[in-house]
Amino acid sequence: MTFSIYSFSMAVLWSSIFISLLCFCRRTRSLVVCFGVWPLVCLIVCALLRCFIPLEMLSFTRVVTGIDLINTVDYFLTSPVDGLTVMPIQILGILWGLGTLFFLVRFLRTYGRFRRLLSSFVPVEEEDEPFAEAQEAASRLHIPKFTIYVTNVVQSPAVTGFFHPIVLFPAYPYSSEDFSNALEHEFTHWKNHDIWVKFLVELLRDAFWWNPLVYLLKHDLNQTLELKCDLTIASKRELEDRVSYLRTMEKTICFADKKDALDFSMFAVAELAHNKEKNLLQRADAILNYEHKPKRVTLAMAVTSIIMAALMAFFLFFCGSAVL
């Protein structure tokens, strides 16, 4: 295995291609249902490993030769600047590293402020609402430990916490049924490991802050996570209960439109309901028209996901290198 600028460049190129494909697929509900967020997680892990360990697998890599543009770019990047010993590739590397460091430090500082804010809240006690509904929802999803806060700093119920769920509830006049629906939604997010997915996407954004496609991927992420969560819940409910779930979403939108709140989207999954009409209609359609899939369809989706992951890894690790 050898280091190569071309190997690195091709890794960035293939990562960008797969990001574009994932963003396109997210706009089709059936594809989100089939594949969820695991292709996204696979892409993030492969992209980070490939770009920061840009080693050519000489036994496998197919070599592209004799391209004048590649020769020109290579000469420019690896030729010292007049009067200096530094090369443009080194300058670009320093700028990239400084940008990544800036975004990582900003993320850590913001996360520190968020944790300090959480520590200032008073958790809901066992005798308070909605602790009983939370205990029931947690029991259904086999969650042994949770914490709930009711606070005015959020617009919509949200969940955070990497190792046990911390649910933030706005001080809205929810009914017992609304609490139950919202809690199942937030706990399902946590069971789906959506907090970890958002964290990985944040790392990808911080590492590739100069790539506009990464911002597009991050922008599309919330809707993908919400759809997957909605469909997980819809799979366990009859139509009447799904309508009740949608009513809770509708109430949350009406309440949220009347208040301002802090933005916790970097550290929490916080879109039980959002007033973006197109996204909301997509979610409502997915919930109301959910159909249980036969086991053979589920098996076919699993096999397809494995093939997609293998192709992604193949193109990222074993294709696209070049020599002069």
Side-chain angles (χ1 to χ4, degrees):
M1 296 189 296
T2 61
F3 177 87
S4 170
I5 293 174
Y6 308 111
S7 180
F8 176 84
S9 301
M10 289 300 102
V12 173
L13 174 62
W14 282 111
S15 298
S16 298
I17 290 172
F18 279 113
I19 286 173
S20 300
L21 288 174
L22 284 175
C23 291
F24 173 78
C25 291
R26 202 284 296 166
R27 303 177 192 282
T28 305
R29 176 171 65 87
S30 59
L31 292 176
V32 174
V33 175
C34 289
F35 303 116
V37 299
W38 291 112
L40 171 62
V41 173
C42 179
L43 168 66
I44 294 168
V45 173
C46 287
L48 290 173
L49 287 176
R50 189 66 176 102
C51 290
F52 288 102
I53 311 177
L55 300 175
E56 291 186 19
M57 313 298 182
L58 296 181
S59 300
F60 303 94
T61 304
R62 296 296 175 263
V63 176
V64 179
T65 61
I67 300 178
D68 292 337
L69 178 61
I70 293 178
N71 291 336
T72 303
V73 171
D74 176 72
Y75 180 78
F76 171 76
L77 292 176
T78 58
S79 298
V81 178
D82 290 341
L84 300 173
T85 58
V86 67
M87 296 181 291
I89 189 67
Q90 294 171 324
I91 297 174
L92 291 175
I94 292 171
L95 291 175
W96 185 359
L98 289 174
T100 299
L101 181 63
F102 168 79
F103 282 107
L104 285 175
V105 169
R106 188 181 70 169
F107 172 78
L108 292 174
R109 290 183 63 183
T110 308
Y111 183 69
R113 289 197 295 269
F114 175 63
R115 294 299 303 182
R116 287 193 294 273
L117 180 63
L118 282 182
S119 67
S120 69
F121 295 156
V122 177
V124 170
E125 301 292 340
E126 291 188 19
E127 63 273 11
D128 298 331
E129 197 175 36
F131 193 88
E133 288 82 0
Q135 208 162 33
E136 183 181 345
S139 177
R140 288 198 305 269
L141 293 171
H142 308 290
I143 295 174
K145 181 181 178 182
F146 60 86
T147 304
I148 296 179
Y149 298 110
V150 176
T151 171
N152 285 315
V153 302
V154 293
Q155 281 187 320
S156 172
V159 65
T160 186
F162 290 106
F163 302 106
H164 84 274
I166 301 171
V167 180
L168 304 175
F169 261 104
Y172 295 157
Y174 280 137
S175 67
S176 177
E177 185 178 43
D178 293 327
F179 276 125
S180 180
N181 288 330
L183 283 160
E184 184 174 0
H185 179 92
E186 303 308 331
F187 284 152
T188 299
H189 270 308
W190 190 82
K191 289 287 286 187
N192 286 347
H193 309 293
D194 291 343
I195 301 297
W196 287 99
V197 173
K198 293 195 75 170
F199 176 67
L200 285 173
V201 171
E202 181 62 32
L203 286 182
L204 186 71
R205 195 288 303 267
D206 293 345
F208 299 100
W209 52 269
W210 44 267
N211 189 341
L213 288 175
V214 174
Y215 292 86
L216 177 62
L217 180 68
K218 186 178 179 182
H219 178 266
D220 278 358
L221 176 66
N222 281 344
Q223 180 70 353
T224 302
L225 297 181
E226 294 304 325
L227 272 173
K228 191 62 179 175
C229 181
D230 291 338
L231 292 166
T232 301
I233 293 172
S235 67
K236 306 172 186 176
R237 296 187 173 205
E238 298 300 327
L239 180 59
E240 183 179 350
D241 291 328
R242 282 182 261 156
V243 171
S244 168
Y245 177 73
L246 284 174
R247 288 200 188 103
T248 300
M249 290 174 57
E250 182 183 12
K251 283 184 183 179
T252 303
I253 292 172
C254 294
F255 294 144
D257 279 344
K258 299 174 183 178
K259 67 170 292 187
D260 297 322
L262 299 179
D263 182 12
F264 292 145
S265 60
M266 190 181 295
F267 317 110
V269 185
E271 288 197 1
L272 169 64
H274 198 288
N275 58 5
K276 294 179 181 177
E277 184 177 354
K278 183 179 179 180
N279 289 352
L280 189 61
L281 288 174
Q282 186 185 35
R283 291 177 62 189
D285 177 62
I287 294 166
L288 291 176
N289 297 309
Y290 178 84
E291 295 181 0
H292 292 278
K293 301 255 186 312
K295 289 185 177 180
R296 64 178 182 275
V297 175
T298 303
L299 178 61
M301 291 189 302
V303 171
T304 305
S305 296
I306 293 172
I307 293 173
M308 286 177 62
L311 285 173
M312 193 179 298
F314 175 79
F315 281 109
L316 282 170
F317 281 88
F318 302 129
C319 289
S321 188
V323 297
L324 303 180

